[in-house]
Amino acid sequence: MTLPLSADVVTRELRGKVLLVTIDHPPVNALSADVRRGLLAAIEAADAEPAIGAVLLIGAGRNFIAGADIREFGKPPVAPALPDICNRIEACSKPVIAALHGAALGGGLEVALAAHYRIAVDGAKLGLPEVQLGLLPGAGGTQRTPRLIGAQAALDLILSGRHVGAQEALALGLIDRIGTSDDILAEGLAYVHELLAAHAPVRRTRDAAALADRAASAAAIATARAQTAKQSRGLFSPLKIVDAVEAALEQPFDEGLKTERKLFLQCLDSPQRAGLVHAFFAEREVLKAPETRDAKPRALNALGVIGGGTMGAGIAVAALDAGLPVTMIERDGAALARGRAHIEKVYDGLIAKGRMSAEKKAATLARWNGSTSYDALAHVDLVIEAVFEDLDVKKAVFAELDRVCKPGAVLATNTSYLDIDAIAASISRPADVIGLHFFSPANIMKLLEVVVPKQVSVDVVATAFELAKKLRKTPVRAGVCDGFIGNRVLAVYRAAADALMEDGASPYQIDAAVRAFGFPMGPFQVVDLAGGDIGWAARKRRAATRDPQARYVQIADRLCERGWFGQKSGRGFYLYPEGSRSGTPDPEVEAIVDAERQRAGITPRSFTDDEIIRRYMAAMINEGANVVHEGIALRPLDVDVTFLYGYGFPRYRGGPMKYADMVGLPTILADIRAFAKEDPLFWRPSPLLVDLVERGADFASLNHTAHA
Ligand code: 3H9
């Protein structure tokens, strides 16, 4: 018998005495208002219908339920609310069984915890990842989880947001059973029938007793609070999570739910939630570059890497880790040996940390092959060159690739700023040439700028996105210009930081202010880490084309002239005694800064941290707007993802463009106009920013996402 449907997204079917309730709301069965209504109607029907002996909840498609519908956050709430649904499920007078496969995350796991019995199949992913969205589990998760699995295990799950597999979930006590096959429906039905045969009672998680050892629970909460206060780096929701779990211990269940609700709403209203949800959708939107819709990727079975330096080796490791065979080319045997050694060093580090076995290393390196002859690249599908940053050197490499590579091979350059159109135009197959800008260390950093030159064929771009997927990188489509998206914007806010330093702020104050904003490092620490000589070389190269009217701060040059290149030379903006990696301020640097101020005729003034951040961010946002205006970035969100994944921008602020929207574009523009009174050449408002302010619009309006 099929009962009337309450909503298409939740179907009900009576199978003997079992009401089979299927959540069928692609793509991931998120708990939208329709799903909530459907679940409510199903439970009410189960209670009302005497023929029904038990309820089985399953998800259609690849998942049980991925959680609350994230797209609803920040919009007016629609009844029925998820916590009420969970309470209604738990209150059901007939046993409710949840059968979990794929994602049972956030609100999805909370629905399962409100059910009376749980079975999962292998491959199920259970978790409470709300913290990653700036939230806490708000549908009873902070109250039921500790009652079910204890305070410590619950805190670990909720504070980390990690996913656990079926085996671990069983060991923790989150589920009662693991199915023996992956047929979720058959497994679920078999379990329900077994429970019915055994007259299994309704068993409510609210009555579970894992918090019974009060002293141990209180100690776990106190420890979590102390650790969270130390580690959560400005995040709002983690301490609220600890408070909510504490309420599970200290308050009766219904009171605890009220406390959870109050804390959840505080998180929901926080700007951090808005920033993190933006990041969630933005990192998915960047995958949908137009070329990925318009073309199929070419084959990608074997890779070539030219150059075994830090970058080439890092790219090779990323590819080897993805299971791809890699052929590395170097100019001679010694350089090739160094390239191989760079790769081995990465794996030896993992072995030393116990994260890789010697056998795994050997198996991985068996996919590596080195040669000093370009002819060894005849079979590869895609080559990435990572040689010295010089246009003529790169053109020479591409001439060789043109000679040896098979037709249809993708020819990529890892340049960080050179003119890829010029490289492409120098060979006979410009349509195969693309930029793949990795970030150092390339095996770790997630960002991959896919730089799209004029003549490239659409399927080559699609292939680059496919490569990113294989390498587990986050690709951002960028156009050709000096520095593409990231380094172009970086050059501008670095210049703003230099100007601040010359005008009176110490590099140490600037770094501290930028760290307090949420970056892991300040700009001068970054220079010291990357090596001051790199920027110095770039500045010398650009000297000839620099606008003579533009302000040029020479402080960094003075340090480089002394050989102070940062960490690798023991001093830069900071001192690094005996190879230490955390620098200490250097009075001699401060004296050099003073001398430079005098040379430039500047009377130093003081800046508050807030003034520093306003200039730093205004420079970043303004150039980000230029990059969008010129079509170098497809949308503001592409700039955001670039900075989140490549430049340490604090994720909870969503990226520079999202941050600008949250501050308000009129405020940013007013700042730029005020700064322009001192240096009109540097502080030129981006035409896009001016236009948006005039129209009362924001960057989000240009993102063209369902979410925006
Ligand atoms: C919560 O539950 C709060 C509650 O405690 C309290 C409430 C009161 N909503 O990632 P994919 C979309 S907070 C809406 O590419 P995969 C996603 O945008 C929530 N949409 O697939 C994409 O759309 P599009 C806690 C969602 O197979 C499409 O689905 N839950 C949601 O690589 C496919 O996603 C989470 O944080 C959602 N909840 O990975 C889980 N989830 O095609 C978040 C996904 O238009 N989700 N979409 O770009 C995930 O971790 C992954 O999506 C998942 C699938 C592992 C499920």
Side-chain angles (χ1 to χ4, degrees):
M1 173 179 92
T2 303
L3 298 174
L5 302 180
S6 70
D8 291 334
V9 292
V10 178
T11 62
R12 289 181 254 153
E13 186 188 345
L14 199 54
R15 297 257 187 134
K17 294 179 72 177
V18 181
L19 182 67
L20 173 64
V21 178
T22 307
I23 298 105
D24 187 3
H25 183 37
V28 293
N29 299 335
L31 291 155
S32 63
D34 277 348
V35 173
R36 299 197 299 273
R37 274 192 286 272
L39 282 171
L40 184 61
I43 296 298
E44 280 174 352
D47 264 339
E49 174 60 58
I52 295 173
V55 180
L56 176 62
L57 301 179
I58 68 166
R62 286 170 42 218
N63 302 293
F64 176 63
I65 299 172
D69 188 339
I70 301 174
R71 289 175 207 275
E72 286 183 0
F73 296 150
K75 300 190 179 141
V78 179
L82 190 58
D84 298 336
I85 303 300
C86 291
N87 293 341
R88 186 66 190 86
I89 292 172
E90 189 167 60
C92 186
S93 59
K94 323 263 170 85
V96 181
I97 293 88
L100 315 179
H101 77 299
L105 297 174
L109 183 57
E110 291 175 295
V111 165
L113 292 174
H116 305 133
Y117 296 90
R118 285 160 293 280
I119 178 172
V121 293
D122 270 333
K125 288 189 286 194
L126 288 77
L128 295 165
E130 285 87 344
V131 68
Q132 285 155 11
L133 300 172
L135 291 168
L136 50 82
T142 65
Q143 305 304 297
R144 291 191 177 91
T145 316
R147 283 178 166 80
L148 191 63
I149 65 172
Q152 186 157 350
L155 282 162
D156 164 58
L157 208 61
I158 304 173
L159 284 169
S160 71
R162 73 191 175 94
H163 300 170
V164 300
Q167 297 291 347
E168 188 180 353
L170 184 68
L172 285 171
L174 273 177
I175 58 170
D176 303 292
R177 166 171 302 203
I178 298 186
T180 47
S181 74
D182 57 8
D183 183 341
I184 190 65
L185 178 58
E187 293 292 339
L189 284 171
Y191 187 40
V192 181
H193 286 127
E194 210 180 289
L195 290 167
L196 280 171
H199 301 289
V202 160
R203 188 194 60 173
R204 299 192 167 99
T205 308
R206 59 181 285 153
D207 303 324
L211 289 175
D213 185 342
R214 288 190 56 84
S217 305
I221 291 165
T223 307
R225 178 169 283 122
Q227 274 175 359
T228 305
K230 241 194 289 164
Q231 292 165 5
S232 59
R233 282 188 52 87
L235 285 174
F236 180 74
S237 84
L239 278 169
K240 302 288 166 194
I241 287 170
V242 179
D243 290 348
V245 171
E246 185 170 50
L249 181 67
E250 300 296 340
Q251 298 173 1
F253 184 77
D254 292 325
E255 286 306 306
L257 280 184
K258 282 187 202 149
T259 302
E260 178 193 82
R261 185 75 189 155
K262 189 183 81 194
L263 295 168
F264 176 79
L265 291 176
Q266 288 174 11
C267 294
L268 192 66
D269 286 342
S270 72
Q272 295 193 357
R273 190 276 304 157
L276 287 163
V277 166
H278 172 76
F280 177 88
F281 286 112
E283 70 198 15
R284 284 165 174 76
E285 282 308 311
V286 291
L287 307 176
K288 302 172 193 161
E291 292 87 352
T292 60
R293 284 193 302 266
D294 300 344
K296 277 205 167 17
R298 295 183 184 174
L300 253 186
N301 299 315
L303 233 67
V305 174
I306 315 215
T310 312
M311 195 43 106
I315 296 170
V317 169
L320 291 169
D321 286 349
L324 289 164
V326 173
T327 302
M328 177 178 276
I329 305 293
E330 259 295 1
R331 80 181 82 85
D332 55 38
L336 195 56
R338 277 196 300 277
R340 162 98 182 186
H342 279 138
I343 295 175
E344 291 211 33
K345 199 171 153 203
V346 173
Y347 292 128
D348 289 340
L350 293 177
I351 291 175
K353 285 186 204 136
R355 283 168 44 202
M356 186 183 238
S357 66
E359 296 74 44
K360 182 82 196 293
K361 174 187 164 189
T364 307
L365 282 171
R367 288 194 291 276
W368 182 90
N369 164 38
S371 177
T372 53
S373 161
Y374 279 87
D375 295 319
L377 295 175
H379 70 290
V380 302
D381 299 309
L382 183 147
V383 193
I384 304 165
E385 74 66 26
V387 301
F388 187 63
E389 280 284 88
D390 177 277
L391 193 58
D392 291 332
V393 175
K394 305 254 186 206
K395 280 184 180 170
V397 168
F398 271 78
E400 285 296 292
L401 297 179
D402 200 7
R403 182 177 66 78
V404 301
C405 287
K406 65 185 181 189
V410 174
L411 312 179
T413 169
N414 177 56
T415 180
S416 14
Y417 54 83
L418 294 175
D419 182 354
I420 306 178
D421 286 322
I423 297 175
S426 73
I427 64 168
S428 73
R429 33 174 141 172
D432 294 333
V433 175
I434 192 161
L436 289 176
H437 182 210
F438 289 80
F439 288 70
S440 193
N443 54 313
I444 297 192
M445 293 292 285
K446 287 274 170 237
L447 180 64
L448 178 63
E449 274 181 310
V450 174
V451 191
V452 178
K454 277 196 213 73
Q455 299 190 59
V456 70
S457 105
V458 182
D459 63 346
V460 167
V461 182
T463 311
F465 277 82
E466 184 64 21
L467 178 73
K469 195 197 274 177
K470 282 196 187 217
L471 303 189
R472 294 167 176 235
K473 301 285 179 209
T474 299
V476 173
R477 187 191 189 284
V480 175
C481 68
D482 188 346
F484 317 131
I485 299 177
N487 284 345
R488 172 166 160 182
V489 175
L490 166 77
V492 176
Y493 68 80
R494 265 297 318 274
D498 283 346
L500 273 163
M501 173 165 62
E502 199 174 52
D503 285 342
S506 88
Y508 313 118
Q509 187 199 357
I510 296 169
D511 279 350
V514 168
R515 280 196 308 274
F517 181 82
F519 282 88
M521 281 192 266
F524 301 105
Q525 291 175 291
V526 173
V527 172
D528 276 5
L529 178 68
D533 48 332
I534 295 177
W536 195 28
R539 291 194 296 278
K540 285 187 202 159
R541 195 184 51 247
R542 290 189 184 124
T545 51
R546 190 180 302 128
D547 181 346
Q549 302 300 312
R551 179 171 179 182
Y552 180 72
V553 175
Q554 299 181 24
I555 296 167
D557 294 350
R558 294 294 93 79
L559 304 193
C560 289
E561 286 155 9
R562 289 168 169 79
W564 299 357
F565 295 144
Q567 290 192 16
K568 62 182 170 191
S569 63
R571 70 193 299 180
F573 281 96
Y574 293 79
L575 285 168
Y576 301 90
E578 284 164 38
S580 129
R581 291 178 65 183
S582 59
T584 49
D586 183 350
E588 284 188 59
V589 168
E590 289 182 307
I592 293 169
V593 173
D594 263 343
E596 281 299 305
R597 286 173 186 151
Q598 278 178 24
R599 191 194 52 74
I602 289 166
T603 311
R605 59 194 157 123
S606 64
F607 292 90
T608 63
D609 289 0
D610 180 56
E611 284 167 338
I612 289 172
I613 291 300
R614 284 174 88 141
R615 283 166 192 259
Y616 199 70
M617 288 310 303
M620 196 182 300
I621 292 158
N622 198 48
E623 193 63 6
N626 282 332
V627 154
V628 175
H629 184 60
E630 293 170 24
I632 299 298
L634 284 178
R635 303 148 297 191
L637 68 82
D638 296 84
V639 180
D640 285 337
V641 173
T642 301
F643 278 85
L644 294 176
Y645 282 91
Y647 296 82
F649 196 95
R651 187 176 169 88
Y652 64 81
R653 295 191 191 270
M657 314 315 268
K658 176 70 182 174
Y659 173 78
D661 276 353
M662 290 201 279
V663 170
L665 299 192
T667 305
I668 304 284
L669 182 59
D671 272 355
I672 292 170
R673 288 189 166 139
F675 305 150
K677 294 198 176 112
E678 294 162 18
D679 186 349
L681 198 56
F682 182 78
W683 294 105
R684 277 177 300 191
S686 166
L688 177 63
L689 184 59
V690 173
D691 175 57
L692 288 172
V693 170
E694 277 169 6
R695 292 194 287 119
D698 58 9
F699 287 124
S701 66
L702 305 174
N703 278 336
H704 309 304
T705 69
H707 176 61

